[in-house]
Amino acid sequence: MMQRHTSIQRNTPRARLHRLPLAAAICFAMSMPAFAQDAGQTQPPDTTQTKPRVATLGAVTVTAQKRTENLQKVPISIQVLGTEKIEQLHISNFDDYVKYLPSVAYQSAGPGFSEIYMRGVASGGDGNHSGSRPSVGVYLDEQPVTTVTGPLDIHMYDIARVEVLVGPQGTLYGASAESGALRIITNKPDASGFAANYSVGIDSVAHGGIGHVVEGMVNIPISKSAAIRLVGWHEHDAGYIDNKEGTRSYPSWGGTVSNARNCTSASLLVCMPAAKKNYNTNDIDGARAALKVDLNDDWSINGTVMGQNVVANGNIATDPAIGDLAVTHFYPERTSDRWWQAALTVQGKIGNFDLTYAYAHLKRNQVEHNDYSDYSFWYDQLPYSYGTYIYDNSGALINPSQYIIGKDKYAMNSHELRLASPKEDRLRVVGGLFWEKSVHDIEQRYMINGIADSISVTGWPSTLWLTEQVRTDRDEAVFGELSYDFIPDTLTATVGGRYFRADNSLGGFYGFSSGYSPSSTYGEAGCISPQPFHGAPCLDFNKNVKETGSLGKANLTWNITPTKMLYLTRSEGYRPGGINRRGSLPPYKSDYLTSYEFGWKTTWFGNRLSLNGSVFQQDWKDFQFSILGANGLTEIKNANQARIRGLETELNWAATYNLELSGGVAFYDAKLTANYCGFTDASGTPVTNCPGAELAPTGTQLPVTPKFKGNFIARYTFDVGENEVFIQGAMVHVGERRSDLRKLENSLTGNLAAYTTMDVSAGFHKNGWSVDAYVNNLFDKRGQLYKYAECAEAVCAAHGVVPQYPNGQVYTVTNQPRTFGVRFKQDF
């Protein structure tokens, strides 16, 4: 099993040491010779009892370059969280591990709905359905699991490691790794022996409820060359946000809605009893079954089936005008994210070349029920009089508040075939073929209860607006890297390239009924085909874009000594263009990222301390920028140029045999290098010359990413009797960030404030079982992760006639409040 980077290897013949506090160990060692003389011993004392125990860092194995290599020998900026670290930090989901990755920033709208950014390459895109593809690729073992609405939020149990490859990874990973790649590597079946463990835990969230988790794993050899591994988990996350009772009046209708539980309906009062305390609970159930068969010494087959279902109630955002950790919503809110993946990896040798074939099939279904009455109020009612068009079959005006039922269905297939020459050779090569097809079926119903049939989309009762579209993304590529040792074990040059072909298509139906909007160029009035489309009335647009291109990489690595490395890298990454969800808009173009990096990987003091880091500049060309446009639809345009300069460094130190210290920091200067005017010319090239009308002028800081992010972790272990005891503290700091690139919108939503959190834990281990207690977010800080409005910020603010919302209604997503938990684990 791979050991994490901060593991401490002790100079002892025993597999497990009983450790003493440092002072006691010294006194014990000093007393041994005298004790031997008093006992009349004539032979020399046992020197194994008097030698000081020496701490060293364990070797970390990664597969970032499609080979198995020592982390300290790979000339790439990589951050790794190993099995032990994942367990020690009580990491169970995406939010938990991202905070310990200095190079990573993110926005979250709930489990499975997160946007990841690396090294400041962030425009603040909302990840909404047919938006831009992510700029960071996420992989489960060998297979990509990146979807437009966010990566899989995989429960982090029985995970070997998380590898974070920072900077463009275009040559080996392609379109989904423009600014980096994040790889989750699972533990594999092991035919060498039986193993099993289970873990149970309970936690209490401040201002909220009680949660629990149950996990289990069993590894069963079925022969000398085959084994299966079965893993399962159930988790209940406690809620901590209150949906408080409240009302909202609609001037065009002349009536009021209430979410109170004891509401009594009247002629102009509609009751929707959605109010509830601690209503943002999550339930997560999943399992993994893996089979590994070694056919002979050279060939093996790994097959895995893994699935998970997450049901999230409520909403993780808060409305500061309502109160701390509170909102007032009127319709029930619930999301489910159900997925399963079947994967097959075949590894073998052709001559002395290593061959790997990886196949995966992913099915993912997401269903959302969201309150959308904010949009009805701010966008439809206040600026316009759309509410006067919301009536029932009798012609009477009715409650115009909306809610959404959305369905996103993904089907992804990927194949990769690659060959790698022996890594011991002076001239080395790795290369292969990649093919992927992703089909995204999108359904969005914007609904109003009781709306007249004449203004509902035909065949879809109570549906004011319908989106029924199919998006297909195809990627094909040939890739390779060639390395040559000019001076063996000292000076190495690497060149790489990827030739790609991409095809993005989007078509279907979006819009109103012909009764509601008879002159529209989309919806029923804009049909281009009389034939129904996936149950929608017709097809009102069908577009696609194709492109080919190439990416390159060049690297020079100097191993000054076996423990000191310097490297220089120029690398490229890209993100494909695509079709806008609003079919009348022109397509958006690909954006490209070029990185220049100088890095170092060093180990000191007899492998007791490692210090890695890099400085870099990245140039981002014509980057894709998503905004919330008319009718609440995402619009994507290319938005000129940006430059990101930064420094990242990571330290791991085995201070003593029982004290481990680690930390990482990242500094970024991410800015526009051209004006963002908000529109493009006829060819799709961003316009930069708009004096006095810039939406974001040159020098504007890119959103989401802070100028500084860092973490520090300290863990001390010692023995009390037969028990191994530990104390641990982990601190994370995230600096201030812009919430939006545009100056007006950012002034309305406000910056995301800097915050610092502290997690502490303590526990003990005896034989095969352990108990630990922890407090996450010890000081109960409200870290701001994301801000948004249900309609375009400028529209909300322009009609902010409600005194408590002078800038429109802006929601804030925060981290989880202080959480106290206890966990028990047993290994067999």
Side-chain angles (χ1 to χ4, degrees):
M1 181 182 294
M2 186 213 73
Q3 296 176 7
R4 62 184 174 80
H5 194 55
T6 53
S7 293
I8 296 182
Q9 305 302 302
R10 298 168 179 84
N11 187 18
T12 174
R14 298 181 62 185
R16 176 186 177 274
L17 288 174
H18 296 290
R19 294 186 286 266
L20 295 172
L22 183 60
I26 295 172
C27 292
F28 180 70
M30 292 176 64
S31 68
M32 286 301 295
F35 180 83
Q37 290 175 356
D38 290 344
Q41 291 180 346
T42 57
Q43 70 274 23
D46 185 359
T47 57
T48 63
Q49 299 298 317
T50 59
K51 278 186 177 182
R53 288 180 274 191
V54 179
T56 60
L57 298 173
V60 179
T61 301
V62 296
T63 52
Q65 296 193 120
K66 309 291 187 177
R67 300 173 180 273
T68 301
E69 299 172 291
N70 186 317
L71 170 67
Q72 292 299 99
K73 298 298 183 180
V74 182
I76 296 177
S77 181
I78 307 176
Q79 299 161 15
V80 178
L81 295 173
T83 301
E84 285 184 290
K85 206 71 167 180
I86 290 170
E87 293 182 359
Q88 292 172 0
L89 295 172
H90 300 96
I91 291 172
S92 65
N93 56 38
F94 171 83
D95 288 357
D96 292 339
Y97 64 77
V98 167
K99 70 180 183 181
Y100 291 108
L101 303 173
S103 62
V104 180
Y106 74 106
Q107 295 180 151
S108 179
F113 295 87
S114 298
E115 296 297 302
I116 309 176
Y117 309 101
M118 288 188 183
R119 280 191 171 174
V121 182
S123 61
D126 57 15
N128 184 6
H129 311 292
S130 292
S132 299
R133 291 178 61 176
S135 62
V136 173
V138 178
Y139 289 75
L140 176 58
D141 292 320
E142 292 280 349
Q143 296 79 25
V145 291
T146 309
T147 64
V148 173
T149 52
L152 303 182
D153 196 344
I154 298 166
H155 183 76
M156 301 297 288
Y157 176 68
D158 196 49
I159 300 298
R161 64 188 180 275
V162 176
E163 296 180 5
V164 182
L165 289 61
V166 186
Q169 306 297 324
T171 54
L172 293 182
Y173 291 94
S176 294
E178 180 182 33
S179 61
L182 190 153
R183 306 178 68 231
I184 300 171
I185 312 298
T186 61
N187 285 320
K188 304 301 186 292
D190 183 359
S192 65
F194 174 85
N197 64 57
Y198 70 90
S199 173
V200 295
I202 188 170
D203 60 73
S204 175
V205 181
H207 323 286
I210 304 295
H212 62 265
V213 62
V214 180
E215 307 159 319
M217 179 280 294
V218 58
N219 182 88
I220 306 172
I222 53 179
S223 72
K224 292 182 179 180
S225 58
I228 60 173
R229 194 178 191 97
L230 305 175
V231 186
W233 57 89
H234 165 75
E235 179 179 353
H236 172 74
D237 295 332
Y240 52 86
I241 294 176
D242 295 338
N243 188 10
K244 292 190 174 182
E245 293 186 357
T247 61
R248 170 170 277 160
S249 297
Y250 290 88
S252 297
W253 165 43
T256 300
V257 296
S258 170
N259 70 348
R261 309 293 290 185
N262 59 353
C263 174
T264 301
S265 297
S267 60
L268 290 177
L269 176 63
V270 176
C271 297
M272 294 180 285
K276 185 180 181 181
K277 286 184 63 66
N278 306 330
Y279 88 136
N280 63 316
T281 58
N282 299 325
D283 287 284
I284 304 163
D285 296 281
R288 183 174 83 245
L291 169 67
K292 181 181 180 183
V293 179
D294 294 323
L295 302 177
N296 53 41
D297 290 341
D298 293 333
W299 288 87
S300 67
I301 299 175
N302 286 273
T304 303
V305 177
M306 182 175 181
Q308 182 174 277
N309 184 43
V310 179
V311 177
N313 296 296
N315 194 306
I316 67 167
T318 67
D319 184 345
I322 302 298
D324 181 37
L325 302 175
V327 295
T328 294
H329 282 183
F330 300 93
Y331 287 97
E333 296 180 288
R334 180 178 182 270
T335 65
S336 68
D337 184 11
R338 182 190 298 269
W339 59 267
W340 66 269
Q341 185 198 56
L344 175 69
T345 302
V346 179
Q347 295 175 301
K349 285 187 175 295
I350 297 180
N352 62 348
F353 277 64
D354 294 322
L355 180 142
T356 302
Y357 168 70
Y359 165 75
H361 174 73
L362 173 67
K363 295 280 285 188
R364 184 181 193 184
N365 293 330
Q366 295 176 310
V367 180
E368 302 174 69
H369 292 251
N370 290 326
D371 181 278
Y372 208 48
S373 56
D374 293 338
Y375 178 90
S376 305
F377 180 77
W378 292 97
Y379 188 87
D380 285 352
Q381 291 282 304
L382 293 185
Y384 311 108
S385 297
Y386 290 165
T388 61
Y389 296 94
I390 306 302
Y391 49 84
D392 61 19
N393 284 329
S394 69
L397 294 180
I398 61 172
N399 168 22
S401 57
Q402 298 181 37
Y403 61 99
I404 299 175
I405 298 179
K407 298 179 181 179
D408 291 277
K409 298 179 181 179
Y410 295 92
M412 297 175 59
N413 288 281
S414 65
H415 304 261
E416 181 169 306
L417 178 67
R418 66 177 183 269
L419 281 171
S421 64
K423 60 184 178 182
E424 299 83 11
D425 290 354
R426 189 172 183 178
L427 178 66
R428 301 177 297 280
V429 63
V430 58
L433 306 172
F434 177 79
W435 179 89
E436 181 185 49
K437 179 181 178 181
S438 173
V439 178
H440 180 189
D441 192 321
I442 308 159
E443 181 180 297
Q444 292 282 299
R445 298 178 65 186
Y446 294 73
M447 305 182 67
I448 299 175
N449 287 333
I451 193 173
D453 295 336
S454 61
I455 56 176
S456 296
V457 176
T458 301
W460 299 77
S462 301
T463 303
L464 180 68
W465 174 290
L466 174 67
T467 299
E468 188 69 44
Q469 299 174 345
V470 174
R471 170 178 176 159
T472 303
D473 290 285
R474 294 180 175 89
D475 291 287
E476 300 170 356
V478 179
F479 63 90
E481 288 190 358
L482 178 72
S483 299
Y484 181 72
D485 296 334
F486 287 104
I487 303 175
D489 301 321
T490 303
L491 187 64
T492 302
T494 299
V495 293
R498 188 181 190 97
Y499 175 79
F500 62 84
R501 184 165 59 192
D503 185 343
N504 171 265
S505 65
L506 181 67
F509 177 91
Y510 71 104
F512 301 106
S513 70
S514 57
Y516 185 80
S517 184
S519 60
S520 176
T521 58
Y522 52 87
E524 290 190 52
C527 288
I528 61 174
S529 168
Q531 299 299 319
F533 179 84
H534 286 223
C538 65
L539 182 75
D540 61 13
F541 85 106
N542 189 16
K543 296 183 177 181
N544 82 303
V545 292
K546 297 181 179 180
E547 60 184 316
T548 60
S550 61
L551 303 169
K553 174 183 175 180
N555 170 271
L556 186 65
T557 301
W558 179 25
N559 289 290
I560 304 171
T561 71
T563 60
K564 311 289 187 300
M565 173 205 290
L566 299 176
Y567 65 87
L568 285 169
T569 302
R570 181 190 184 276
S571 57
E572 296 176 330
Y574 98 109
R575 178 168 50 171
I579 305 298
N580 268 290
R581 181 182 174 194
R582 183 187 297 279
S584 58
L585 293 175
Y588 51 94
K589 301 193 304 182
S590 300
D591 56 15
Y592 287 82
L593 185 72
T594 303
S595 174
Y596 307 88
E597 178 175 346
F598 169 69
W600 58 90
K601 291 193 173 181
T602 62
T603 306
W604 305 83
F605 311 127
N607 202 35
R608 289 184 58 187
L609 183 146
S610 69
L611 178 64
N612 301 338
S614 64
V615 293
F616 60 87
Q617 175 174 310
Q618 298 181 136
D619 297 322
W620 197 10
K621 181 181 178 182
D622 296 341
F623 65 87
Q624 297 166 15
F625 183 49
S626 301
I627 65 170
L628 200 61
N631 306 113
L633 295 184
T634 298
E635 298 179 1
I636 307 165
K637 298 178 181 179
N638 293 89
N640 299 324
Q641 326 308 319
R643 184 198 65 215
I644 303 102
R645 290 173 174 166
L647 180 150
E648 299 165 343
T649 186
E650 180 183 24
L651 179 144
N652 293 280
W653 182 26
T656 68
Y657 75 90
N658 57 355
L659 176 62
E660 307 172 22
L661 303 174
S662 62
V665 296
F667 298 88
Y668 297 113
D669 180 25
K671 294 180 178 179
L672 289 180
T673 54
N675 294 328
Y676 170 53
C677 295
F679 56 95
T680 61
D681 62 20
S683 66
T685 301
V687 173
T688 61
N689 187 16
C690 51
E694 300 91 351
L695 300 184
T698 299
T700 299
Q701 181 183 350
L702 297 181
V704 184
T705 301
K707 292 184 178 180
F708 171 77
K709 180 181 178 182
N711 67 76
F712 178 75
I713 303 168
R715 185 179 178 90
Y716 182 71
T717 58
F718 58 95
D719 283 359
V720 176
E722 293 296 314
N723 299 328
E724 179 184 275
V725 180
F726 79 88
I727 301 172
Q728 178 178 277
M731 181 178 67
V732 174
H733 176 80
V734 179
E736 186 179 24
R737 296 135 288 152
R738 290 178 67 93
S739 59
D740 199 290
L741 176 67
R742 299 160 295 176
K743 57 185 180 182
L744 173 60
E745 283 73 9
N746 193 75
S747 70
L748 298 174
T749 56
N751 283 352
L752 300 166
Y755 65 93
T756 302
T757 61
M758 172 70 76
D759 300 342
V760 297
S761 59
F764 63 92
H765 174 86
K766 181 176 182 180
N767 298 325
W769 59 270
S770 63
V771 176
D772 59 274
Y774 60 91
V775 182
N776 290 338
N777 194 5
L778 177 65
F779 301 109
D780 201 22
K781 295 292 184 180
R782 297 287 180 272
Q784 297 179 347
L785 308 179
Y786 181 30
K787 288 184 178 181
Y788 68 92
E790 288 287 12
C791 67
E793 292 87 346
V795 173
C796 288
H799 302 279
V801 296
V802 180
Q804 70 187 115
Y805 296 116
N807 293 339
Q809 194 168 2
V810 177
Y811 287 91
T812 303
V813 177
T814 67
N815 59 337
Q816 185 164 304
R818 180 174 53 244
T819 302
F820 171 77
V822 178
R823 180 180 63 182
F824 175 86
K825 182 180 179 182
Q826 187 171 15
D827 295 297
F828 299 95

